[in-house]
Amino acid sequence: MTARFARTALTTAIAGVALASTSLTALAAQTITVGHTTSDNSHYSVGVDAFKKTLEELSGGEFTVEEHPSGALGGERAMIEGLQIGTIDTVITSTGPLGNFVPETYVLDLPFLFADYDQARCVLDGEIGQELLDKVGQNNLVGLAWTENGFRHLTNSLRDVKAPEDASGLKIRTMENQMHMAAFEEMDVHPTPMAFPELFTALQQGTVDGQENPVSVILTSNLWEVQDHMTLTGHVYSPAVMLASPVLWDSLSDEEKGWFTQAAKAGAEATRAEVSRLETEGVKELKDKGMTVVESVDKSQFQDAVEPSYSVYTDQYGSEMLDKIRNSECLAGS
């Protein structure tokens, strides 16, 4: 009886230790916030899912990931500011507002810089992309990985736009980005910067006539409900970037930093795959939902119209980074 009691007591003690260990692990798990402005069925959200899965697996549950979509933590600029002071852990953002913090990234917002996805991804995945991420790291932010929105296209509620003159007079929502605004001004368009979470209501109320975004955003944000016309201008390739708070980053070990970097790259890969899928399937879906789509576009007309806007960049920042991109192997022959 004594031996049996001893075995029972030992088993109970071991179970208690195991339970306590499990409880301590659960308590020790750190929740990482990921903020973005697109919906929870968007390409960004696909990337967050991959980031979450990878980080939680690599860390063995040491970190858990909590997504905050649809601008729940604020617009992109506000979230970047949150990163800097440590109130938000990680953010996926377009490069539109990033230039306000890291001016060197404005080069990526120049119109018609890249001819296709292969060129853009090649540049961002190479030395130039890393150099720009390093610049991000010098501005109280941590650049984890380049991800993607896609090529931006023009939509509006008033008329088909087949040539630059057709856009004259339209009030178009843009990001708070001087490169984008200058390009539209060259087409006699009235650029109206506003945070993305405000856009749908502004279109619904007629505060602006139109906007410009990739197919992925137009579709998953239901902009087709308040926009009748789309033109596949592809005027700007819109990258996105996953950023981390330096407050979070400085608290991590080198091994943990490696987990975050690997998870961010997995998220970027998943996002790009979704963008590619939507780019081919999304136009048809938007047509099915009632949008008229101008697909055959003489892009050279639009390119000529906005070419003077390049001086807004080169006058302030010179042409060194622009020349690096244009002369890179990625753009060879273009």
Side-chain angles (χ1 to χ4, degrees), residues 34-52 67-70 76 91-95 117 121 146-153 173 175 196 211-223 236-242 263-280 282 285:
V34 182
H36 62 85
T37 58
T38 59
S39 67
D40 60 4
N41 67 336
S42 68
H43 56 301
Y44 279 4
S45 197
V46 170
V48 173
D49 287 345
F51 172 78
K52 172 183 173 69
E67 180 181 13
H68 296 269
S70 303
E76 290 183 323
V91 166
I92 302 173
T93 176
S94 67
T95 53
Y117 283 104
R121 292 168 181 174
W146 289 110
T147 178
E148 190 168 80
N149 278 301
F151 280 92
R152 304 180 78 86
H153 306 295
R173 177 267 176 182
M175 293 185 286
F196 185 78
Q211 61 85 56
E212 45 86 48
N213 258 304
V215 171
S216 54
V217 176
I218 295 167
L219 182 61
T220 59
S221 300
N222 297 333
L223 297 184
V236 169
Y237 169 76
S238 180
V241 63
M242 188 166 197
K265 289 180 178 178
E269 184 176 339
T271 300
R272 285 177 174 179
E274 180 67 0
V275 167
S276 295
R277 184 187 72 80
L278 289 173
E279 191 74 20
T280 56
E285 192 169 341

Side-chain angles (χ1 to χ4, degrees), residues 37-38 70-71 74-76 152-157 171-176 190-214 216-227:
T37 58
T38 59
S70 303
E76 290 183 323
R152 304 180 78 86
H153 306 295
L154 182 66
T155 73
N156 78 95
S157 59
K171 292 180 293 183
I172 300 295
R173 177 267 176 182
T174 68
M175 293 185 286
E176 189 181 346
H190 304 303
T192 307
M194 67 175 65
F196 185 78
E198 303 169 14
L199 175 58
F200 190 93
T201 301
L203 292 169
Q204 195 172 42
Q205 296 177 346
T207 305
V208 290
D209 302 314
Q211 61 85 56
E212 45 86 48
N213 258 304
S216 54
V217 176
I218 295 167
L219 182 61
T220 59
S221 300
N222 297 333
L223 297 184
W224 47 270
E225 293 181 2
V226 287
Q227 296 281 269

Side-chain angles (χ1 to χ4, degrees), residues 101-122:
F101 304 86
V102 190
E104 292 85 352
T105 62
Y106 274 134
V107 69
L108 300 173
D109 292 293
L110 291 171
F112 301 104
L113 179 61
F114 301 115
D116 54 39
Y117 283 104
D118 287 342
Q119 286 187 359
R121 292 168 181 174
C122 175

Side-chain angles (χ1 to χ4, degrees), residues 23-317:
S23 299
L24 287 171
T25 300
L27 288 172
Q30 183 175 347
T31 300
I32 302 300
T33 56
V34 182
H36 62 85
T37 58
T38 59
S39 67
D40 60 4
N41 67 336
S42 68
H43 56 301
Y44 279 4
S45 197
V46 170
V48 173
D49 287 345
F51 172 78
K52 172 183 173 69
K53 180 176 184 292
T54 306
L55 181 61
E56 292 180 357
E57 286 181 354
L58 288 173
S59 69
E62 180 180 333
F63 296 99
T64 61
V65 175
E66 186 176 275
E67 180 181 13
H68 296 269
S70 303
L73 301 180
E76 290 183 323
R77 178 166 184 156
M79 287 193 293
I80 293 172
E81 291 170 346
L83 289 174
Q84 292 183 316
I85 61 176
T87 56
I88 302 174
D89 295 320
T90 61
V91 166
I92 302 173
T93 176
S94 67
T95 53
L98 185 62
N100 293 298
F101 304 86
V102 190
E104 292 85 352
T105 62
Y106 274 134
V107 69
L108 300 173
D109 292 293
L110 291 171
F112 301 104
L113 179 61
F114 301 115
D116 54 39
Y117 283 104
D118 287 342
Q119 286 187 359
R121 292 168 181 174
C122 175
V123 167
L124 291 176
D125 291 343
E127 293 181 3
I128 293 173
Q130 186 57 54
E131 182 177 346
L132 290 171
L133 283 180
D134 292 342
K135 296 286 188 183
V136 170
Q138 297 169 14
N139 290 270
N140 198 29
L141 293 164
V142 178
L144 294 177
W146 289 110
T147 178
E148 190 168 80
N149 278 301
F151 280 92
R152 304 180 78 86
H153 306 295
L154 182 66
T155 73
N156 78 95
S157 59
L158 299 181
R159 56 182 178 267
D160 283 342
V161 173
K162 298 179 179 179
E165 54 267 26
D166 297 330
S168 178
L170 291 175
K171 292 180 293 183
I172 300 295
R173 177 267 176 182
T174 68
M175 293 185 286
E176 189 181 346
N177 182 296
Q178 55 183 303
M179 301 299 116
H180 290 197
M181 294 169 69
F184 279 110
E185 286 170 351
E186 292 294 337
M187 293 195 299
D188 194 31
V189 165
H190 304 303
T192 307
M194 67 175 65
F196 185 78
E198 303 169 14
L199 175 58
F200 190 93
T201 301
L203 292 169
Q204 195 172 42
Q205 296 177 346
T207 305
V208 290
D209 302 314
Q211 61 85 56
E212 45 86 48
N213 258 304
V215 171
S216 54
V217 176
I218 295 167
L219 182 61
T220 59
S221 300
N222 297 333
L223 297 184
W224 47 270
E225 293 181 2
V226 287
Q227 296 281 269
D228 298 319
H229 308 276
M230 179 167 72
T231 304
L232 300 183
T233 48
H235 51 275
V236 169
Y237 169 76
S238 180
V241 63
M242 188 166 197
L243 303 172
S245 167
V247 177
L248 167 68
W249 195 250
D250 290 344
S251 72
L252 301 175
S253 67
D254 288 344
E255 182 182 24
E256 290 167 341
K257 288 176 181 177
W259 296 341
F260 273 78
T261 301
Q262 191 172 335
K265 289 180 178 178
E269 184 176 339
T271 300
R272 285 177 174 179
E274 180 67 0
V275 167
S276 295
R277 184 187 72 80
L278 289 173
E279 191 74 20
T280 56
E281 300 176 13
V283 172
K284 180 182 183 302
E285 192 169 341
L286 288 170
K287 286 180 178 179
D288 291 343
K289 292 180 181 297
M291 290 192 82
T292 61
V293 181
V294 178
E295 297 184 71
S296 298
V297 179
D298 183 355
K299 293 187 179 183
S300 64
Q301 290 187 44
F302 288 91
Q303 190 167 2
D304 291 343
V306 302
E307 179 68 27
S309 68
Y310 271 54
S311 64
V312 174
Y313 174 82
T314 55
D315 287 352
Q316 293 185 67
Y317 310 113

